[in-house]
Amino acid sequence: MLADPFTVLAEPTRRRILDELRTSSHSVNELVEVLNVSQPTMSKHLKVLRDAGFVSVRTAAQQRIYRIEVRPLVELDAWLQPYRELWDQHLDALERHLDNQEED
C-alpha cells in the first residue's frame, strides 16, 4: 500500500532528508552525520521515503546511496496548483483593494 505523500512529508526528519538530497546523492552514513540522527532512525525514515517513491537507492561497494526522485514531487506540485491559483486570486483582490484605498 502506498503511503499518503502528505503523511510521509509531515515528519520533519523526512523533509530534512529530502532537503539534503536535493543537491546531491548521499550515503546513509553521510545523512546520519549531517542530520545528527541515529543510523536505525535514518534507515527507518529512508525506508518510508523509498516506499513512497520519494527516494531511490543504489549500492556502491558497501554503501547504500540515496537520491531524490522528482516524480512524487511533481505530482504534489500539480495537486497544489489550483490552490496556488486561488491564493493568487485572493492576493490580487487584496492588492486591488489596497490600491483603491490609496486613491481615496
Side-chain angles (χ1 to χ4, degrees):
M1 178 176 99
L2 290 177
D4 172 57
F6 292 104
T7 302
V8 171
L9 297 178
E11 164 55 51
T13 301
R14 293 186 201 127
R15 293 193 309 270
R16 290 175 52 212
I17 292 168
L18 290 178
D19 286 343
E20 282 300 317
L21 294 176
R22 194 178 51 207
T23 56
S24 66
S25 300
H26 291 289
S27 71
V28 174
N29 290 334
E30 290 170 335
L31 290 168
V32 164
E33 186 175 319
V34 169
L35 298 177
N36 196 29
V37 297
S38 70
Q39 194 279 329
T41 298
M42 180 61 65
S43 293
K44 177 188 82 166
H45 288 303
L46 286 168
K47 180 180 180 351
V48 171
L49 288 167
R50 189 177 66 243
D51 289 348
F54 284 99
V55 299
S56 60
V57 62
R58 67 177 169 82
T59 303
Q62 300 295 328
Q63 294 185 325
R64 295 173 61 81
I65 309 298
Y66 284 84
R67 73 175 192 168
I68 198 166
E69 290 295 330
V70 176
R71 182 190 49 78
L73 297 169
V74 170
E75 291 172 2
L76 280 174
D77 183 59
W79 184 85
L80 288 168
Q81 183 57 37
Y83 297 97
R84 273 194 296 276
E85 291 171 6
L86 181 64
W87 182 248
D88 287 343
Q89 290 171 5
H90 287 285
L91 287 175
D92 290 345
L94 176 61
E95 183 179 24
R96 285 189 302 274
H97 174 73
L98 293 174
D99 286 346
N100 288 338
Q101 293 285 332
E102 288 177 3
E103 291 173 5
D104 292 341

